[in-house]
Amino acid sequence: MSSDLRWRRVLLKLSGEALTGSEGFGIAPSVVARIADEIGEVVALGGQVGVVVGGGNFVRGAQISATGIDRVSGDHMGMLATVMNALALNAALSARGVPARVMSALPVPTVCETFTQRVALAHFQAGRVVLFAGGTGNPFFTTDTGAVLRATEMGCDVVMKGTQVDGVYSADPKTDPTATRYEQLTHQEVLARGLSVMDATAIALARDNRIPVSVFSIGEPGAFVSVARGGGRSTLVTVEGGADR
């Protein structure tokens, strides 16, 4: 492990909304460029980076199903949205000379590779950033669950979830000024308290595979690099009573 990094192999989880900037919809090129710069910096420090990005800046399957479209079709639309986001981030990385590959669990071979664990691991070992699109490839599962699944398959040391706030709070700090920020929690505490970190399936999968989850603000420039190096401001979710990966 590089002495400059706390974790060598990380899975960065981003919401689709993280790419919108102030627009609230679609992709903001300046935001994508900044995130690509930070990923490139972690790679330059010796890190291996996988990325899972949601598709909520374009469509959410659970929401669109309320309009009369069936849930499976809605989730497939959401998966395609994650492919678009991954392609945008891949282009930004390539423009900076950072080698990267998009791999989708939902096969779209015209535009990217189809995910297999063996090939994805080979990309990591070759020093490439791997952008995991298409969620799990199945409806009814969130991209949070997809992120923990890929982190498990890739042997990642941590899932780093970039959110709009600088950690996990007892309530939404944007609406509740009395909300308490946590420095560290266990997966079980997150589940028992119903805290908004990831969905319960994702947290349970992380717990069962002893993968820590670091929650930080992706909206804060440089935060990804700082937290990856063991500094910055974040909440760490770990397994109680034993070493995580």
Side-chain angles (χ1 to χ4, degrees), residues 8 22 35 41 54 76 83 99 156 163 167 190 193 196 204:
R8 180 171 183 267
S22 60
I35 293 173
E41 188 172 344
H76 283 149
V83 174
C156 291
T163 70
V190 169
R193 299 178 190 178
S196 299

Side-chain angles (χ1 to χ4, degrees), residues 72-97:
V72 173
S73 295
D75 280 355
H76 283 149
M77 292 168 67
M79 292 178 207
L80 291 171
T82 72
V83 174
M84 291 192 289
N85 287 334
L87 289 171
L89 192 51
N90 181 74
L93 289 166
S94 297
R96 287 155 176 76

Side-chain angles (χ1 to χ4, degrees), residues 101-245:
R101 293 289 188 279
V102 177
M103 303 192 78
S104 175
L106 184 72
V108 280
T110 302
V111 297
C112 65
E113 299 177 39
T114 300
F115 170 78
T116 68
Q117 181 198 36
R118 175 181 57 82
V119 175
L121 285 171
H123 285 320
F124 268 130
Q125 291 159 1
R128 302 183 184 105
V129 174
V130 184
L131 303 161
F132 298 106
T136 67
N138 299 291
F140 303 104
F141 289 94
T142 67
T143 51
D144 279 348
T145 297
V148 178
L149 177 62
R150 294 291 174 255
T152 304
E153 293 174 304
M154 297 297 103
C156 291
D157 301 312
V158 66
V159 173
M160 295 182 64
K161 182 170 181 180
T163 70
Q164 301 305 309
V165 293
D166 58 356
V168 180
Y169 286 78
S170 58
D172 185 349
K174 295 180 180 179
T175 59
D176 185 351
T178 67
T180 301
R181 181 179 171 278
Y182 301 103
E183 287 291 333
Q184 189 160 332
L185 292 160
T186 67
H187 299 87
Q188 195 58 42
E189 286 173 332
V190 169
L191 292 170
R193 299 178 190 178
L195 298 173
S196 299
V197 178
M198 291 178 158
D199 66 84
T201 302
I203 288 294
L205 185 61
R207 176 198 62 195
D208 294 347
N209 289 280
R210 310 186 74 80
I211 299 176
V213 178
S214 178
V215 182
F216 69 101
S217 173
I218 193 63
E220 180 67 30
F224 175 52
V225 179
S226 295
V227 176
R229 298 182 72 171
R233 189 170 169 86
S234 65
T235 298
L236 186 64
V237 181
T238 62
V239 174
E240 187 176 20
D244 296 307
R245 290 190 181 193

